[in-house]
């Protein structure tokens, strides 16, 4: 019997052990709650992507039932974390693990071994970086590279399903070192970076299909896994590909839901369910082409709008003024237009309003109109447009919220500017 921190590990000999008698050897009240150590346990601790077991400890002397919410390894000891408010047991206890939950985790864990190996056979460069098993959300595998063709995932799933249905025996064995384990299994999947030369290694074998170093709990025969389905793939934050899978009734429910979603989508797209991906990919390409065409058209429109502004230039004394409405153009386009106009015509004062959803205003003047301070006019316009602005006497930009006042703001700007120019000429 294996042992860790003074606790005999019953789950290694028999992962199907649901209840057992044990002695309480240590009670620790820590910041995370009350922790119980036992002389032996069937509760599997959290680790290697498998969550810790939950269940009950029944105090023999009183019959009192104490809830265990999690099992972990803490400083090399197996600790049973009591649920909040539970009073720790003393003496002899009967441990009872939440079997339905554990059995589901065992099925998920074994399915993960098979799927990992199938994927590796399909794509020798693919590697499973880490796994996460969860009784309510199924299993997750984080894979590199993060771009695996869908057809390879489907092929790995099919190969795994066939093997699961064949009913292959799963067995375990202990080796005194990674080197000895590797000598017995030429294709052993093992993360050696995590192991020291003299660490003992537990090898979990699925027939002669796969051998992997693993300390988790697994089923005895692959048929116990039941129906297995890849239920999602997405890019994970760490640059790997997150692949989700489920087993049994949960997998069937999800498969049914996904099949119905495919049927519904095929009705929307008016295409056969197995042609959805092709149709969606075509639609996406069409959309991108249209987007590009729209961008070109709006660029052309903005050039035309700016070009036609020249017709609105008025001459007041020595100055030339342009009050232009470019509503529909983006802020950068309006600024570009204003700068271009006053550079080409150094006597010009340009007051432009643009913007797509909310008005933006830009005031600029050429080098020969330096007596005119544009800031007061800009501020007055912002008052009418319900916004704010900033800049210097030669260039002002701002934005507003009241698109309906654009005409009024431009008229007021024109009146203000003509008054300023007349004052200057006097
Ligand atoms: Zn495992």
């Amino acid at each position: 019997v294996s042992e860790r921190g003074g606790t005999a590990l019953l789950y290694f000999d028999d992962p199907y052990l649901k209840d057992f008698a044990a002695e309480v050897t240590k009670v620790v009240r820590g910041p995370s709650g009350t922790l119980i150590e036992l002389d032996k346990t069937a509760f599997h601790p959290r680790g290697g992507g498998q969550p810790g077991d939950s269940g009950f400890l029944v105090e023999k002397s009183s019959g009192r039932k104490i809830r265990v919410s999690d099992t972990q390894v803490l400083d090399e000891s197996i600790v049973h974390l009591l649920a909040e408010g539970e009073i720790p047991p003393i003496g002899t206890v009967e441990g009872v693990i939440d079997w339905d939950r554990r059995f589901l985790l065992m099925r998920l864990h074994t399915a993960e071994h098979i799927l990992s190996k199938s994927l590796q056979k399909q794509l020798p460069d693919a590697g499973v970086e880490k796994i996460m098993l969860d009784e309510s959300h199924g299993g997750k595998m984080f894979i590199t590279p993060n771009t695996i063709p869908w057809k390879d995932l489907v092929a790995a799933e099919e190969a795994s399903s066939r093997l699961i249905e064949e009913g292959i025996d799963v067995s375990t064995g202990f080796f005194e070192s990674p080197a000895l384990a590797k000598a017995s299994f030429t294709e052993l999947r093992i993360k050696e970076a995590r192991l020291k030369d003299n660490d003992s290694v537990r090898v979990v074998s699925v027939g002669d299909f796969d051998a992997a170093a693993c300390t988790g709990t697994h089923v005895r025969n692959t048929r116990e896994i039941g129906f297995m389905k890849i239920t999602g793939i997405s890019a994970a934050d760490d640059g790997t590909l997150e692949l989700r899978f489920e087993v049994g009734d949960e997998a069937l429910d999800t498969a049914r839901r996904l099949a119905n979603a495919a049927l519904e989508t095929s009705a929307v797209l008016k295409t056969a369910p197995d042609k959805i991906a092709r149709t969606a990919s075509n639609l996406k390409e069409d959309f991108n082409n249209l987007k590009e065409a729209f961008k070109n058209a709006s660029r052309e429109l903005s050039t035309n709008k700016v070009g036609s502004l020249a017709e609105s230039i008025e001459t007041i004394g020595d100055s030339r003024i342009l009050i232009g409405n470019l509503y529909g153009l983006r802020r950068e386009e309006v600024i570009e237009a204003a700068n271009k106009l006053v550079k080409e015509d150094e006597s010009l004062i340009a007051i432009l309003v643009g913007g797509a959803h909310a008005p933006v205003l830009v005031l600029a003047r050429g080098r020969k109109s330096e007596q005119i301070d544009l800031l007061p006019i800009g501020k007055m316009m912002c008052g009418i447009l319900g916004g704010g602005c900033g800049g210097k006497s030669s260039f002002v930009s701002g934005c507003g919220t009241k698109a309906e006042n654009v005409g009024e703001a431009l008229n007021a700007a024109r009146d203000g500017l003509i008054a300023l120019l007349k004052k200057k000429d006097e």
Side-chain angles (χ1 to χ4, degrees), residues 219-370:
V219 294
R220 277 184 291 232
N221 186 286
T222 58
R223 202 175 281 134
E224 292 176 75
I225 296 167
F227 179 64
M228 190 274 294
K229 178 83 194 82
I230 293 176
T231 52
I233 49 165
S234 52
D237 293 337
D238 62 359
T240 60
L241 177 76
E242 179 185 319
L243 181 149
R244 295 180 292 281
F245 65 97
E246 291 174 25
V247 298
D249 289 346
E250 288 81 5
L252 271 174
D253 283 347
T254 305
R256 203 168 282 130
R257 192 165 49 75
L258 294 178
N260 286 335
L263 290 174
E264 192 180 348
T265 310
S266 90
V268 171
L269 296 176
K270 295 188 170 38
T271 187
D274 50 3
K275 294 207 170 70
I276 291 176
R278 180 83 226 139
T279 306
S281 150
N282 289 344
L283 280 173
K284 200 173 164 190
E285 202 182 315
D286 289 352
F287 176 74
N288 285 336
N289 289 340
L290 281 173
K291 212 159 75 174
E292 192 58 32
F294 179 77
K295 224 157 76 185
N296 290 338
S298 84
R299 201 174 296 128
E300 200 173 314
L301 182 71
S302 109
T303 309
N304 289 343
K305 267 194 180 179
V306 173
S308 67
L309 281 178
E311 295 161 17
S312 325
I313 294 177
E314 301 172 65
T315 303
I316 313 278
D318 300 336
S319 297
R320 290 149 60 70
I321 68 169
L322 170 60
I323 310 294
N325 189 344
L326 292 177
Y327 206 69
L329 264 60
R330 289 176 298 118
R331 185 171 179 274
E332 310 82 71
E333 292 171 323
V334 181
I335 290 175
E336 193 190 322
N339 283 334
K340 187 164 171 268
L341 286 162
V342 300
K343 199 175 166 200
E344 283 170 359
D345 182 348
E346 295 184 335
S347 308
L348 187 69
I349 300 167
I351 298 182
L352 306 175
V353 171
H357 305 292
V360 296
L361 60 128
V362 177
L363 295 79
R365 61 166 162 75
R367 209 169 48 87
K368 289 182 184 159
S369 305
E370 60 192 9

Side-chain angles (χ1 to χ4, degrees), residues 127-154:
V128 177
E129 299 305 315
K130 65 171 179 185
I131 65 158
M132 275 169 70
L133 307 176
D134 180 329
E135 74 275 16
S136 29
H137 301 103
K140 285 180 189 172
M141 292 160 59
F142 298 86
I143 301 167
T144 53
N146 65 358
T147 49
I148 291 183
W150 182 244
K151 68 169 179 52
D152 289 321
L153 292 176
V154 171

Side-chain angles (χ1 to χ4, degrees), residues 48 50 105-106 108-110 112-113 131 133 189 202 204 212-218:
Q50 185 176 328
L105 292 172
M106 283 162 57
L108 283 168
H109 203 149
T110 316
E112 176 270 314
H113 281 230
I131 65 158
L133 307 176
R189 295 188 296 115
R202 181 169 179 260
V204 177
C214 184
T215 57
T217 50
H218 310 81

Side-chain angles (χ1 to χ4, degrees), residues 10 13 28 32 44 70 81 96 99-100 123 130 133 154 165 196 247 253 284 290 321 351 353 376 409-410 418:
L10 305 174
D13 278 345
V28 181
S32 56
H44 190 276
D70 194 7
L81 177 69
V96 183
W99 175 248
D100 289 348
L123 281 174
K130 65 171 179 185
L133 307 176
V154 171
E165 284 160 24
K196 292 193 281 291
V247 298
D253 283 347
K284 200 173 164 190
L290 281 173
I321 68 169
I351 298 182
V353 171
L410 285 171
I418 289 172

Side-chain angles (χ1 to χ4, degrees), residues 188-202:
L188 181 68
R189 295 188 296 115
I190 181 168
K191 301 247 191 254
E192 278 187 275
R194 295 175 195 169
L195 294 166
K196 292 193 281 291
D197 286 347
N198 56 351
D199 276 346
S200 71
V201 176
R202 181 169 179 260

